């Protein structure tokens, strides 16, 4: 159903982004891999996806903290492939601290990368989707887009903003063949979460197993991490024709976290 479509996945050289790029390539999409670097390894990731799935895949550098580069990512994709059919806004960063000591520069960076970048890429992609009468925008939000936790003010604010942005875009595009949805993962074992595990082990004086069970997954009733492959599959579903009437909603992949 997606053969020949062109998909951009921001922040896609590792973790959820890479798994999503793989999932869409497996459905026949041409893929634009993205991060803020631009080294040999980045380009090799795209080459490996192309070889594995028999699609075209390229790496395009863009710093998601910079509005002009967000928008230029879309235009470079259109110049290369002729269209942008699927946009997955995945790029994100995290920082944890109480509000009164939260560094201003960290707040600004998290809002820019986790929220504003989705606005800029979508704004640039939508005219091209309208021109073809088909499009899928999937924003990777978080359980923190639906629930709050202490010491994560910027992340929670950004992810709540992503959910609101998703709903607004969906309403603006309803009936035009373009959908916009958000996937809200709970804890997924990614490099970002690995860092959190290590930090909390030091803070709590616990071993890895106890830290994961009693601290990291305390709010996740399944007591299991979601996998990056499960998130990728969820995105692929939302991009399919089977999800043509799924728009403006959130899909939680969180082991029951937001059911509480």
């Amino acid at each position: 159903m997606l053969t020949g479509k062109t998909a951009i996945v921001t922040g896609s050289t590792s973790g959820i982004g890479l798994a999503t790029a793989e999932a869409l390539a497996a459905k026949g999409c041409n893929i634009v891999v993205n991060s803020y670097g631009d080294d040999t390894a980045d380009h090799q990731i795209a080459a490996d996806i192309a070889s594995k799935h028999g699609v075209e895949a390229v790496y395009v550098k863009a710093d998601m903290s910079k509005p002009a580069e967000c928008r230029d990512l879309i235009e470079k994709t259109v110049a290369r492939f002729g269209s942008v059919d699927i946009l997955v806004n995945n790029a994100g960063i995290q920082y944890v601290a109480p509000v009164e000591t939260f560094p201003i520069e960290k707040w600004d960076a998290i809002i820019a990368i986790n929220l504003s970048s989705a606005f800029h890429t979508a704004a640039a992609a939508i005219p091209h989707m309208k021109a073809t009468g088909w499009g899928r925008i999937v924003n990777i939000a978080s359980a923190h887009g639906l629930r709050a936790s202490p010491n994560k003010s910027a992340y929670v604010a950004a992810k709540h903003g992503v959910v609101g942005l998703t709903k607004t875009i969906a309403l603006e595009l309803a009936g035009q063949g373009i959908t916009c949805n958000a996937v809200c993962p709970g804890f997924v074992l990614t490099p970002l979460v690995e860092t959190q595990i290590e930090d909390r082990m030091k803070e709590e004086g616990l071993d890895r197993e106890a830290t994961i069970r009693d601290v990291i997954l305390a709010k996740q009733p399944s007591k299991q991490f979601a996998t990056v492959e499960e998130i990728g599959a969820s995105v692929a579903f939302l991009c399919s024709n089977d999800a043509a009437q799924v728009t403006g909603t959130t899909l939680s992949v969180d082991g029951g976290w937001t059911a509480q």
Side-chain angles (χ1 to χ4, degrees):
M1 291 184 290
L2 298 179
T3 300
K5 301 291 188 186
T6 297
I8 300 170
V9 185
T10 68
S12 48
T13 55
S14 67
I16 290 171
L18 179 55
T20 297
E22 292 272 8
L24 292 172
K27 298 292 186 182
C29 291
N30 298 319
I31 301 294
V32 174
V33 177
N34 157 261
S35 76
Y36 60 87
D38 194 12
D39 57 32
T40 301
D42 296 324
H43 291 273
Q44 188 60 49
I45 288 168
D48 290 344
I49 290 173
S51 176
K52 180 178 178 181
H53 299 286
V55 299
E56 292 186 65
V58 298
Y59 172 83
V60 178
K61 175 186 178 295
D63 184 341
M64 292 293 105
S65 70
K66 299 178 180 178
E69 293 193 26
C70 294
R71 291 171 181 260
D72 195 45
L73 172 63
I74 305 301
E75 301 313 321
K76 286 180 177 177
T77 297
V78 173
R80 172 66 177 78
F81 291 103
S83 68
V84 53
D85 305 297
I86 295 169
L87 170 63
V88 183
N89 287 305
N90 168 75
I93 59 173
Q94 174 66 292
Y95 188 84
V96 178
V99 169
E100 68 269 25
T101 60
F102 208 97
I104 294 172
E105 67 276 10
K106 293 294 185 182
W107 172 275
D108 289 345
I110 289 171
I111 296 300
I113 295 171
N114 294 22
L115 173 57
S116 296
S117 69
F119 162 74
H120 291 297
T121 56
I126 286 168
H128 299 289
M129 293 178 176
K130 284 183 173 179
T132 62
W134 194 96
R136 298 288 187 266
I137 300 170
V138 182
N139 297 318
I140 305 301
S142 168
H144 280 120
L146 304 170
R147 299 289 187 272
S149 292
N151 301 320
K152 297 182 179 180
S153 56
Y155 191 82
V156 170
K159 293 303 187 179
H160 272 66
V162 166
V163 170
L165 176 65
T166 297
K167 293 176 181 180
T168 299
I169 292 172
L171 291 175
E172 291 182 5
L173 300 177
Q176 299 181 61
I178 306 166
T179 66
C180 183
N181 294 287
V183 175
C184 294
F187 277 103
V188 184
L189 196 57
T190 62
L192 187 150
V193 171
E194 282 286 2
T195 299
Q196 291 184 48
I197 293 170
E198 293 174 10
D199 290 344
R200 295 306 296 273
M201 284 173 65
K202 296 173 184 176
E203 292 173 12
E204 305 291 338
L206 299 173
D207 63 22
R208 180 181 172 84
E209 182 179 347
T211 300
I212 290 173
R213 182 188 65 245
D214 300 332
V215 180
I216 301 296
L217 296 181
K219 295 182 179 180
Q220 201 145 306
S222 68
K223 300 303 179 186
Q224 295 176 317
F225 287 107
T227 68
V228 293
E229 291 79 13
E230 288 165 351
I231 307 304
S234 298
V235 173
F237 164 69
L238 291 172
C239 293
S240 71
N241 288 333
D242 292 332
Q245 290 303 311
V246 181
T247 194
T249 194
T250 57
L251 176 57
S252 292
V253 189
D254 64 5
W257 181 346
T258 54
Q260 299 175 101

